[in-house]
Amino acid sequence: MLLRLIQYYQVLELMIVVLHQCHKESEEKWKRLSRQVTDMVLPLLAKQQINLDNQIALDVLHRLFESVAPSVFRPVDILLKALFAPPYDLTLVHSIERWLCLVLSIIRVLIAQSKEEVVLSRLQELGLAVNVFTTRVRPANEGRNKVQLSSDETFARFLLQIIGLLSHEISDSCTSLTKQSGSHAFMSQQMAHLLLYITHMFQSGQFRKVATSAMALIKQDAPEYMYSVDQINAAFRDMAMVYPTLTLQWCNVLILLNYEDQTWWSEIVQTPRKYIMASPGQDMSVSDSLMPLARCCNMEITRRGGLILFCDYVCENLNDAEHMTWVIINHVSDLIELSHEPPVQDFIGAIHRNSAASGLFIQAIHSRCENLSKPSLVKKTLQCLEAIHLSQSGALLTLLIDKFLHTHHLAVARMCDLLACRRLEMLLADSAEESKTQLPLEDLETLLQYVKNTGLTRRHARLASLLNKLRNLLCPESVLTLSPERTHPLDVTSEDIAEMVINKTFYMSIARDQCFSSSIVPKDCAILLQKLDYSDILAIMMTKEFNLSILAHCITLGKQSTLALIEKQTRSSLHQGQTSVPEQSLHPLLQAAQLTLLRHINNHINMLPVPHEVIAHDNKLNSQEEQFLEKMEEFYSDTSWIEGVTHLTSTLVQYLLTLSQFPWQPNIPKESVRDISRFVVLNVEILHWMLHQDRLPSTEQLETTLMCCTTVLQNPDLFAVIGQKEHTTWVCTLILAVHQLLSSVLVIPGESLVTLPNQDSTEDQPQHSYDGFHHVLRACDQISELLHCLKTYLNPQSSDSKLPKFLGNLLRNIIIGLARLPLVISYARTPPLAWKLGWLPSPSGDMRTILPPLPLKYLQEKDVLKEFIFRLNMIGWTTRQQFEETWMALLAVLNPAIMSEEHHVSPEEEIDRTQCIILAVKGITSLLVQSTLAPESGNPCNSTYECRPRNKPLAFLHTKCGKRLTVVRDMIEKELRHLCSVNCGSIYTRHHPVQPFDNNIERELGKDGITLGQMSIESIWSLVGMLDFADHENTEGDHSTVPRERSSSLSGLDIHSCICFLLDLYGQWLSPQANPRTPLMQINETIKSVVTISDLFTEKQQFEWMFDTLLEVQRLHPVEDELVVQYLIVGICKAAAVIGMDVPVAEKVGRLLEATLKSPHMSSRIATMYGSLYILETGMSDTTKLILPVITEYLLKQLENITQINIQSQQHVLVMWASAFYIVENYQEIIGETDITFKVLQLSSSMASGNEELTPIPVYLAILRGLERLMLTNVLNKQDSETLIKLSVDRLCMPSPQRAMAALGLMLTCMYSGKQGDQYTPPIMLRQPSFEDDGCEVPMPQDPESLIIAMERVTVLFDRIRKGFPFEAQVIAGILPLFLSDFFPPQDIMNKVIGEFLSSQQPHPQLMATVVFKVFSTLHAKGQHALVRDWVMLSLSNFTQRTPIAMAMWSLTCFFISASTNEWLRSLFEHVLGRMGKMETVDCRFFCLAALDFRSQLTDDGQLRAFHSTFQSVASKEKPYADLMACCT
């Protein structure tokens, strides 16, 4: 039965099972059945009657022939006859595939079970011939054909014919447009199997004669009816784009057949046609026409695989040098890229063993490897050069130094340095004649000069030294030094050190030398300039040699000096009883840096061509644009010019940030406003041009350019200039460049950045057209697309966001700033969907870009309204007219008259209409709240929402000791804010006064969004006229937190009328008699809006309306609706706190609070806590006494639970801690006799000292801030203070810098608050130069036990300097001098500080040297010069014993300068500080100068003798000490 269905391969599979079973039962039966199966299957296969149409069927056939008895194939006549029989039909694809199944199965059996001799002898005796021919010509005499070929030639020709037939069939399918893709998939698999079988036959040596005949046949001309090797090659070349592995398999077969036709291999490896051998000096760039037009993935696979195979062939035939030379010359870059492949490794190894090939390899790399920007590729190149032939060491050195050593990738540079040094050592080991042969003296001197001129001597000192040594060996008669030209005054002076006078002239010479040097430390140069007068600073800055990289540090240092000077003047005025405002003038350093910066910017702008043109690189340019671009490209291609622009850009960013951080906001000089605006456009143009040239800017350059654009757009003066109508091209250029940047970074080439609803698949505007409005219209479209990106790519919460945080934040600010420009703001505020819906307005304005307000019928579309509100929130408004137009547009959506026009609406339409009203309520609320943005209403880009904290100013901070605490505490606060702003991605560009103790505790650092509790009750009383300032003046503290006017009034907005209208409308909606009944979701949004805009109320009656309305809604509304209740509770409490409550109302509110606190809804409880805070802010009253027990009970219970379990809601925890600390601070009269204070302190200490995972950083910071306020308000006793100090010392050791810095702040607050009681004697007055008029009455410990305890706490600070991050060490080192001088006697200070300075375990000796310098400055200011000298003499021997000598000499120099009273020598401290570890002539002379200056201060003969004896004892060991002794004699 099975034999009848034998044409199905599934039956063959069953036959396999039967054969296996027969084999188990009886071998005779198995052989008999095998013969029977074979006799039936082979004829059917030859007639193509078995359905073998896929790989599975072919595998079954193979397994069938493996299952039959081997004896059935002996002799092989039956197989050979079937194999060489004329194919039954080769006209159809499936016929060819079935015939190939026969061929493959027979060849597989022959390979596995037969020997070549047997096969060929039987083939000869049977007289079989090839019966597969080309489709063009049939043989005229087949009999003659049979006689001409031997058996081995017949077999070889047969295999070539099969390959030719299949290759042409497959290649036709690849190049034909009519044949379906995938129709030849099975045939390609069969071809792969055939090539594998042939590869095995030839490579294993099993069919050696057939392989030999095949080698001969491919070199002969084939008859017309046979496939020639060229025809087969052409077919495989055509199929490479679809089937690269088949082409590579054929290449492998050709390699086995020693086929070396260079034309074929050039096509496979895609060799450029006109590459020729060249000398290293020739330019071997090849025109694009000679390169492959397209290099798809499959072609690249073919190219790389072909090269690997040909390398293998060359390695097998090393006697033929022509092939090796051809590969090296034409494919050196590919060899390096594929150097990890074993055949290529063998090829490179063969190159290394051959001197001539090694030289050729080096020449090829020098001339052909142009694109070495990838460090991975450079590393591979160096690895390929590592074992180059020793005779080519000179050429290798030239290549390494000339091409690789200057890379900015340090790992690659070190690798290159190591290889070059190894080769130099080999050259030094050879004879001078051999070295001169490999590296001629002229070439060596050229390399030396190159290393010296490019500044590589310092980075590669060992290499430079070996080069110099080799040069001196080759030419001993003239010695060359690589040291840079010495220009330092102490290097070039011939004056005796003992006679040198350290004065202004000497100081000026050093400052000038450092600022003109090629290798500078910008910060140190700025500090040197800081000590000079304005004219002297300007004389240095205005020279051509001045290094522009110093300017940014000059501006930073000038800002700090300016603020310190104004603070000093303010304190001096207050000390003298004056109330006049100090003169707001800039420090001379800042003035000079400003003038220099603006002059350089002006020079660059004056060089640019005018008029300005918009260059859209993807469009055809007109003649004016082409001329403009040609002139600009002259600048773009100038590397030094671009480098200068980069330095000026970073300086400009620092300058603009500096101006924005001064409290009085100084203006940019009017004559420079336009230059700066044009300069930022220039920066963006450079970035745009680089992207067009496929040159990716560095991260630093990209960030600097974007930061410059951000700061310029946020400056009102610069923003106004850019927005002027004569600068339309500037705006278009900025928008075009930002759009191109996003497109380059976020989408692949050819794709659109976004597709807006109004955009079709093709561009509306033809790209080749040009008129006056072309670029303007394009800018309008692009700004709309960029705003859409704020919801996708630039949305931090979006899954599409792919940009780094710093880049995303900068681009968001830039896009918002650009969208606010007058040219495009009208388009930017318009939803793109409105265009699709058919809105066709008539634009107005000079550029036809001002659109009328969006009609109501479009705003009633939900999607349009949603997009409109999104754009409103992003952009804000720029004029009062825009505000009023937006107000009227949104108000029209809210108008209930429109709703009543139609009586019959479906439920779905009613829901849509309600959702539109809700969106309009959100939009109008956001519009009003944006009016509170300061300093500029309606500008979310550079403004923050007004925030008036509830905490009262601390009286302690107005004492002398409190002011001292404020100084050190502000240093920590600035660092904390910086850390938090970095984590949040914030960008601070405006002046933010540091107020560590005033902000609301629950408010997270670095986040300036609007929240509940934004405005304190006291500030609201002031706004509505309920605060009596006459009576209020008697209360403690100042009233800086009490606003007298709103930023909205400064903008000329009539917010009062808007609020009145809204309240009237909201009252109708919230009324129980509303008809029709107001939908629930509309009620929810309305109440939320009322609570939000209540911060803008201007009358007490408005709060009375709010209280009555919300209380009525609460009475009638279901308590189960937690979404509404959460806003009701906070609104009722806020209104009640403002207008006041009698006892019945207070009881009602108290019950409401108590009920809501029991709610399972977390948001309701959070709102309740904010509401209770509003009531608590009103002060001591019967109302607060009623609700205080409810709140305290809830707080203690919840806080106790939270300390034991993981936090569920961070906001809930923050507001609870804010409430707890507020109650403890302000309601001691009520809770003083309870244990509430103790429990709060216990719980806060427990939570602050808990696991970091259980206590997030915002909660941790809030707790420590609350504890600090309690310390400064005299709420805690001595025991509590000790507990907090222990807590802070413990937390100071935490690895997190935020937690450690906050703990340091708490420790300082505790110590400065003076809560140590009887441990201290009466106060001792201390003074310091920066606080001369502000002596601080700080209690100083006198008994030994107190000193030990206090010193243990200081030890923790020194430990943190050692173990913390560098920025932490810098902060702590900055506060240490003030802190130590406030709390410890001089002897204890000096002992500890000098000990730390000398410690070999100190990782920051420069910071400790600065601490020593500041401590000595404090003692000098108090006139304790003798104490300083005594401590120096006491420590002198310890310094001389320090190792190594360079560190000892540097430490002594810093020590002597710190002890000096010479102002010019002291001004050089930072310069000396930066020379740590050096022991050059300059350092030795600095040491001698400082030592001699200190020696001149010694008046006691005993100290002089001790000074001499100390250095005399070590003078014999170290030369610097001997030089000092020589100067002393």
Side-chain angles (χ1 to χ4, degrees), residues 1108-1166:
D1108 295 338
T1109 304
L1110 296 186
L1111 200 61
E1112 181 65 15
V1113 173
Q1114 187 274 331
R1115 184 179 66 84
L1116 299 175
H1117 202 77
V1119 294
E1120 294 80 12
D1121 189 355
E1122 299 284 2
L1123 296 178
V1124 174
V1125 169
Q1126 64 177 329
Y1127 301 117
L1128 284 173
I1129 186 66
V1130 70
I1132 291 171
C1133 291
K1134 183 175 183 178
V1138 173
I1139 64 177
M1141 296 179 287
D1142 52 18
V1143 175
V1145 174
E1147 292 176 350
K1148 185 183 298 184
V1149 173
R1151 288 193 298 270
L1152 182 59
L1153 285 173
E1154 186 175 5
T1156 316
L1157 287 175
K1158 296 177 181 179
S1159 169
H1161 190 235
M1162 181 61 72
S1163 297
S1164 297
R1165 286 188 279 160
I1166 294 174

Side-chain angles (χ1 to χ4, degrees), residues 305-466:
L307 185 61
I308 293 171
L309 289 171
F310 195 73
C311 286
D312 188 40
Y313 171 75
V314 174
C315 291
E316 296 294 332
N317 300 271
L318 290 177
N319 293 330
D320 190 352
E322 181 183 353
H323 296 313
M324 178 180 285
T325 303
W326 179 77
V327 174
I328 293 174
I329 292 176
N330 297 321
H331 296 282
V332 63
S333 299
D334 300 325
L335 289 175
I336 294 169
E337 190 69 43
L338 299 171
S339 58
H340 58 282
E341 298 287 347
V344 181
Q345 289 178 356
D346 296 339
F347 182 83
I348 294 174
I351 294 175
H352 292 163
R353 294 189 295 272
N354 188 304
S355 175
S358 295
L360 187 61
F361 189 58
I362 293 174
Q363 290 182 32
I365 291 176
H366 205 289
S367 59
R368 301 287 168 81
C369 294
E370 298 296 335
N371 186 17
L372 291 174
S373 57
K374 294 182 180 179
S376 59
L377 185 59
V378 178
K379 181 182 177 182
K380 287 182 179 179
T381 307
L382 294 176
Q383 289 172 341
C384 293
L385 291 169
E386 194 168 3
I388 211 79
H389 199 275
L390 295 180
S391 63
Q392 300 297 329
S393 296
L396 177 60
L397 276 171
T398 304
L399 174 67
L400 292 175
I401 296 175
D402 184 46
K403 205 169 186 70
F404 300 106
L405 198 63
H406 62 274
T407 177
H408 62 278
H409 300 289
L410 295 183
V412 175
R414 282 195 296 267
M415 187 176 178
C416 180
D417 179 271
L418 184 63
L419 178 56
C421 289
R422 192 181 304 139
R423 290 300 173 134
L424 275 171
E425 290 170 349
M426 292 179 182
L427 287 176
L428 287 169
D430 288 340
S431 62
E433 292 76 13
E434 177 65 25
S435 300
K436 189 175 294 186
T437 302
Q438 291 200 37
L439 190 62
L441 183 61
E442 297 79 9
D443 295 344
L444 180 58
E445 289 182 342
T446 302
L447 293 178
L448 281 166
Q449 197 63 36
Y450 173 79
V451 171
K452 182 177 179 181
N453 293 341
T454 54
L456 296 173
T457 309
R458 175 176 295 183
R459 191 171 74 175
H460 302 284
R462 178 167 171 255
L463 174 63
S465 175
L466 289 173

Side-chain angles (χ1 to χ4, degrees), residues 275-284 329 360 363-364 366-368:
Y275 255 176
I276 57 174
M277 184 64 183
S279 63
Q282 285 181 310
D283 183 12
M284 294 308 302
I329 292 176
L360 187 61
Q363 290 182 32
H366 205 289
S367 59
R368 301 287 168 81

Side-chain angles (χ1 to χ4, degrees), residues 1182-1195:
D1182 295 337
T1183 303
T1184 53
K1185 291 179 181 179
L1186 285 173
I1187 68 169
L1188 198 58
V1190 176
I1191 299 172
T1192 53
E1193 180 184 358
Y1194 174 80
L1195 287 174

